[in-house]
């Protein structure tokens, strides 16, 4: 009953317009008072738990990935990527949609943010897709869905947050676990886009000569080096995730300043300030989540839930179905980071009690939460594409339903087909 009241309180506060961080902090304090535990010693200990949650080296990767994303958006990286993808795919059925999705997949391997990927590609691709006869709702939906790959394909800010919430979880293992599902989801998006484009007769652009493709590929290779630096450095053992993010951010800055010449010295303070603001917002949410978790542990709610699940169910299968349904429903009304921070302290102990791999659970949760960027009324990428094109959000949401079903299908595949998420981490020696 207490757990229900706490979660209902957080959701109600969010609906009333209270920020995620303040919602969790307010409910945690109210619960403490209700339990009669709000004495001086306990209240003094809470700020310490908040600080401990954000001081770890793992979370240092977040500001560097945000900085890298800001440099890429300002530097115009997405333009070269889309031009290259268009040259390779544009002459096929659904070619421009496929090029946009492929660009989103590559951008996802640089940024890790769904909204940043959708905005970066959307501003470049939409004009050409309209000119070629693509339906605008479908075009917006394809790019919004492609942007949803940002939290799945490594590096992923969502997976970094998960690792920070579950001590002993390797960020590298999570990144490897998300690679195959992320690529599979992108390829299924491309297949569906090709089918729909052929069915509706959306236009194609003339084939680009091989010489021009090579030229555009060489031009885009400077941008393509970013995921090579990040993922290659991490998986080859040259960098930690934090170090790779820092190196890639510096490279993206040099690229924007000296290759594309779209970033000047006068732009740097604004970019750094935008990154600092975003980092502060995320870190404050994580800190108050630690506060919330502290109260959960004090109430022994996770322990009681795990015991109830073990006594009720003989296998993890029905529990996974419930977890996925809960995440999909919550994703319609809440931002993914908030859902992750609230649910991880409950779901991870349940998975552990049934000997379900934590890395596999992380990927399942990550993809299920990514579905939230396509589900009204809070679907972030729907708003992004609506703001870029002026298209009504609900029309984009309707066109995005098949993409959403594809993501749900991949979520279920990851939940019940272990090799999809654990093959790469095990093959590269993470011993899961």
């Amino acid at each position: 009953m207490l757990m229900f009241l706490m979660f209902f309180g957080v959701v109600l506060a969010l609906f009333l317009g209270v920020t995620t961080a303040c919602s969790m902090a307010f409910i945690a304090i109210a619960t403490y008072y209700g339990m009669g535990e709000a004495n001086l010693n306990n209240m003094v200990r809470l700020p310490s738990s908040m600080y401990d949650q954000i001081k770890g080296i793992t979370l240092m990767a977040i500001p560097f990935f945000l900085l890298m994303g800001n440099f890429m958006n300002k530097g115009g990286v997405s333009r070269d990527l889309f031009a290259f993808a268009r040259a390779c795919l544009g002459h096929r059925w659904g070619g421009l949609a496929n090029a946009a999705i492929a660009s989103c997949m590559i951008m996802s391997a640089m940024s890790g943010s769904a909204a940043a990927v959708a905005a970066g590609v959307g501003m470049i691709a939409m004009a050409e897709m309209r000119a070629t006869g693509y339906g605008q709702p479908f075009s917006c939906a394809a790019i919004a869905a492609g942007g949803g790959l940002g939290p799945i394909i490594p590096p992923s800010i969502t997976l970094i947050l998960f690792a920070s919430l579950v001590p002993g979880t390797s960020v590298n293992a999570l990144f490897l676990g998300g690679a195959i599902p992320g690529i599979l989801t992108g390829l299924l998006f491309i297949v569906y886009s090709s089918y729909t484009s052929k069915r509706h007769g959306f236009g194609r652009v003339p084939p680009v000569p091989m010489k021009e493709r090579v030229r555009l590929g060489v031009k885009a290779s400077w941008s393509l080096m970013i995921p090579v630096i990040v993922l290659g450095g991490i998986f080859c053992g040259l960098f930690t995730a934090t170090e790779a993010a820092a190196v890639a951010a510096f490279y993206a800055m040099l690229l924007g300043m000296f290759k594309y010449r779209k970033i000047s010295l006068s732009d740097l303070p604004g970019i750094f300030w935008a990154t600092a603001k975003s980092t502060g917002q995320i870190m404050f949410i994580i800190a108050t989540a630690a506060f919330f978790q502290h109260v959960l542990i004090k109430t022994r709610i996770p322990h009681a839930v795990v015991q109830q699940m073990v006594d009720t169910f003989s296998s993890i299968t029905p529990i996974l179905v419930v977890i996925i349904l809960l995440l999909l429903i919550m994703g319609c009304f809440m931002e993914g980071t908030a859902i992750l921070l609230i649910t991880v302290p409950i779901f991870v102990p349940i998975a552990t009690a049934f000997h379900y791999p934590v890395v596999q659970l992380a990927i399942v949760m990550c993809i299920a939460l990514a579905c939230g960027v396509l589900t009204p009324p809070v679907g972030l990428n729907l708003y992004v594409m609506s703001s870029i094109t002026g298209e009504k959000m609900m029309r984009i949401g309707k066109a995005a339903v098949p993409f959403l079903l594809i993501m749900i299908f991949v979520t279920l595949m990851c939940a019940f087909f272990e090799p999809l998420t654990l093959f790469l981490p095990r093959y590269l020696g993470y011993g899961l």
Side-chain angles (χ1 to χ4, degrees):
M1 185 62 177
L2 181 59
M3 181 183 73
F4 172 78
L5 290 174
M6 288 180 68
F7 282 90
F8 177 77
V10 171
V11 173
L12 178 62
L14 289 169
F15 268 113
L16 293 175
V18 182
T19 63
T20 302
C22 292
S23 298
M24 289 191 290
F26 174 77
I27 296 302
I29 292 172
T31 303
Y32 243 35
Y33 272 98
M35 294 169 57
E37 296 283 347
N39 56 57
L40 182 61
N41 288 337
N42 282 336
M43 296 306 288
V44 168
R45 199 175 296 124
L46 288 175
S48 175
S49 69
M50 293 171 70
Y51 171 73
D52 289 341
Q53 185 69 30
I54 61 173
K55 73 178 183 180
I57 189 66
T58 299
L59 289 178
M60 282 299 296
I62 292 178
F64 288 119
F65 279 124
L66 292 173
L67 180 61
M68 179 178 65
N70 286 333
F71 279 133
M72 289 192 312
N73 287 338
K74 184 71 175 178
V77 168
S78 54
R79 188 174 300 275
D80 278 354
L81 292 176
F82 180 73
F84 178 53
R86 173 193 179 280
C88 295
L89 302 171
H91 60 286
R92 303 175 184 274
W93 282 113
L96 290 182
N98 293 346
I101 293 169
S103 299
C104 286
M105 293 173 70
I106 298 170
M107 289 283 287
S108 297
M110 304 179 188
S111 172
S113 167
V117 172
V121 175
M123 287 187 289
I124 305 299
M126 277 305 304
E128 191 161 354
M129 293 177 76
R130 277 195 296 256
T132 317
Y134 279 77
Q136 184 160 280
F138 170 79
S139 301
C140 291
I143 296 172
L149 299 173
I152 306 171
I153 294 177
S156 162
I157 292 176
T158 301
L159 293 177
I160 293 172
L161 283 176
F162 187 98
S164 73
L165 295 170
V166 185
T169 303
S170 166
V171 174
N172 290 8
L174 293 180
F175 282 0
L176 286 167
I180 294 177
I183 294 170
L184 174 62
T185 306
L187 293 176
L188 290 175
F189 285 170
I190 287 174
V191 170
Y192 169 73
S193 296
S194 298
Y195 166 76
T196 301
S197 298
K198 186 173 183 179
R199 180 184 173 193
H200 293 282
F202 295 151
R204 294 181 287 179
V205 297
V208 175
M210 183 58 66
K211 185 178 180 180
E212 179 66 7
R213 295 187 197 184
V214 172
R215 186 189 70 80
L216 291 171
V218 170
K219 189 178 179 183
S221 64
W222 293 94
S223 302
L224 293 171
M225 281 300 297
I226 296 177
V228 172
I229 291 171
V230 175
L231 303 179
I234 291 172
F235 299 147
C236 291
L238 300 177
F239 309 124
T240 64
T242 302
E243 292 165 348
V247 172
F250 182 68
Y251 176 79
M253 181 186 72
L254 296 179
L255 205 60
M257 293 179 71
F258 300 110
K259 171 62 179 174
Y260 297 109
R261 298 184 182 276
K262 292 192 175 182
I263 298 176
S264 63
L265 287 175
S266 61
D267 293 321
L268 295 182
I271 293 173
F272 289 138
W273 177 241
T275 303
K277 286 197 296 184
S278 298
T279 301
Q281 292 167 353
I282 292 173
M283 292 300 183
F284 186 52
I285 293 172
I286 296 170
T288 53
F291 190 174
F292 190 81
Q293 289 178 44
H294 180 88
V295 175
L296 280 177
I297 293 170
K298 194 79 174 178
T299 61
R300 294 183 60 80
I301 286 175
H303 176 80
V305 171
V306 171
Q307 191 59 50
Q308 180 67 35
M309 290 292 184
V310 171
D311 292 341
T312 304
F313 299 104
S314 59
S315 74
I316 191 69
T317 300
I319 297 174
L320 286 173
V321 173
V322 171
I323 286 174
I324 292 169
L325 284 174
L326 281 174
L327 293 175
L328 291 173
I329 293 169
M330 293 174 75
C332 294
F333 305 101
M334 296 172 63
E335 195 270 328
T337 300
I339 300 171
L340 185 77
L341 296 171
I342 293 169
T343 56
V344 162
I346 303 295
F347 293 164
V348 169
I350 294 173
T352 303
F354 283 90
H355 306 289
Y356 191 79
V358 172
V359 169
Q360 189 174 0
L361 176 69
I363 306 305
V364 170
M365 292 184 66
C366 182
I367 304 174
L369 290 175
C371 293
V373 302
L374 297 179
T375 52
V378 185
L380 179 60
N381 281 10
L382 302 182
Y383 282 104
V384 169
M385 296 309 300
S386 178
S387 67
I388 291 174
T389 63
E391 183 62 75
K392 291 182 179 179
M393 191 193 77
M394 291 308 297
R395 291 190 66 191
I396 302 174
K398 183 179 179 181
V401 168
F403 294 101
L404 178 63
L405 294 176
I406 289 172
M407 294 183 76
I408 294 172
F409 170 73
V410 175
T411 304
L412 293 170
M413 285 280 290
C414 291
F416 300 111
F417 185 60
E418 189 177 274
L420 201 59
T421 55
L422 298 187
F423 170 75
L424 279 181
R426 284 173 174 165
Y427 182 75
L428 294 178
Y430 284 88
L432 300 174

